[in-house]
Amino acid sequence: MSENKTLFQQGTLGALMAGLYDGTLTIRELLDHGNTGIGTMDALDGELIIIDGEAYQAKSDGSFKKLSGLEKVPYAAVTYFDAERDYEINKTMTASQVKELIEFELSSLNSFSAVKIKGHFKQIHVRNVPKQKKPYPRLIDVSKNQPEYQETEMDGTIIGFYTPALFQGAAAAGFHLHFINDQKTFGGHVLDFIIERGQVEIETIETLEQHFQIHDATFMETEFDDSNLHKEIELAES
């Protein structure tokens, strides 16, 4: 690669799993580091989708809105998306089939990659985590009651990242994907999909820039219990 392709990550999934949901970085500050990405909002209030330099929030009540930039995030990942390669989807494929195809096309399973899947979805199934109140519960408990939404025959884009197993805890190993429709009225954390036709774009990440919340007393003083972290991440993400 001729240029350094960087993934900027605010916070870690491990901290989020432990219940650290307070936003510590504004959307405006986050957008200084990338134009494409995903995450969650302050107090775990829904899902964050960043596309073409604009940020959107998918809330647990099904509402969807563009963000002003003043809102804060506890956890998010962004990159300046610049695909190295792309290929067409010209037949109906399930989510597992698309992921298998992408894994085959990745430069390596040992590096981060950014992924964009744009096309016509016969079915899209998402969930949007509900806003939490203090004292915050662990994410594994929140994940047991998350509103889910399904739509059919919808044009849109799936954005996300592939994380190597080695980095489980910093992020979710494997694919972490969010969806946004073309009308910018629907989206969320992807649980499943069927795509009829579209295009997949892949970017290999060379550098991970991890930003820690050193000015947040809760983060700096919390004693983390990571004994069941990997299992909790698997359950929460699925």
Side-chain angles (χ1 to χ4, degrees):
M1 291 178 290
S2 60
E3 62 180 271
N4 188 328
K5 297 190 176 183
T6 300
L7 174 63
F8 175 89
Q9 184 166 287
Q10 161 68 11
T12 67
L13 184 59
L16 201 69
M17 294 298 301
L20 274 66
Y21 305 149
D22 287 338
T24 52
L25 191 77
T26 68
I27 292 292
R28 187 172 296 166
E29 291 170 321
L30 184 64
L31 292 176
D32 286 338
H33 299 277
N35 61 8
T36 304
I38 59 177
T40 190
M41 305 299 298
D42 180 64
L44 213 64
D45 188 15
E47 311 295 334
L48 171 67
I49 306 102
I50 297 174
I51 184 171
D52 299 328
E54 301 287 351
Y56 300 86
Q57 179 185 18
K59 295 174 68 72
S60 62
D61 62 1
S63 61
F64 198 90
K65 70 175 184 178
K66 183 177 179 180
L67 299 173
S68 70
L70 300 179
E71 304 87 352
K72 291 186 176 182
V73 298
Y75 174 73
V78 293
T79 188
Y80 286 106
F81 191 80
D82 182 19
E84 301 154 13
R85 56 199 179 280
D86 60 76
Y87 55 91
E88 297 295 322
I89 293 177
N90 51 25
K91 63 178 181 179
T92 300
M93 299 181 71
T94 65
S96 59
Q97 289 173 327
V98 172
K99 290 176 183 178
E100 183 177 330
L101 184 60
I102 293 174
E103 284 189 351
F104 180 78
E105 296 291 338
L106 292 176
S107 297
S108 171
L109 296 180
N110 298 325
S111 63
F112 284 82
S113 293
V115 175
K116 185 181 288 187
I117 308 166
K118 182 175 177 60
H120 181 74
F121 294 82
K122 290 185 67 65
Q123 179 182 339
I124 183 74
H125 182 191
V126 303
R127 56 92 163 148
N128 298 329
V129 65
K131 185 176 182 179
Q132 301 300 302
K133 295 181 180 180
K134 293 183 177 180
Y136 295 138
R138 291 180 66 86
L139 188 56
I140 186 63
D141 296 318
V142 175
S143 67
K144 296 173 183 177
N145 182 28
Q146 299 180 91
E148 299 180 13
Y149 299 92
Q150 296 191 60
E151 292 289 347
T152 59
E153 306 301 341
M154 180 170 279
D155 293 326
T157 304
I158 289 175
I159 291 168
F161 300 97
Y162 172 85
T163 296
L166 179 64
F167 289 89
Q168 174 83 310
F175 292 98
H176 185 178
L177 307 171
H178 287 191
F179 175 81
I180 182 170
N181 69 343
D182 285 354
Q183 289 74 32
K184 309 296 191 296
T185 57
F186 176 84
H189 176 99
V190 174
L191 294 176
D192 199 8
F193 65 87
I194 298 173
I195 188 170
E196 188 174 61
R197 59 185 181 275
Q199 182 182 46
V200 174
E201 298 178 278
I202 302 173
E203 173 191 39
T204 304
I205 300 297
E206 183 176 358
T207 299
L208 172 64
E209 183 179 347
Q210 180 69 63
H211 183 256
F212 294 101
Q213 308 98 307
I214 64 170
H215 300 295
D216 178 54
T218 303
F219 172 76
M220 297 298 283
E221 297 169 8
T222 295
E223 294 185 12
F224 293 97
D225 176 9
D226 62 354
S227 56
N228 295 312
L229 179 62
H230 289 199
K231 185 63 176 179
E232 287 187 8
I233 289 176
E234 291 176 3
L235 291 173
E237 289 299 308
S238 62

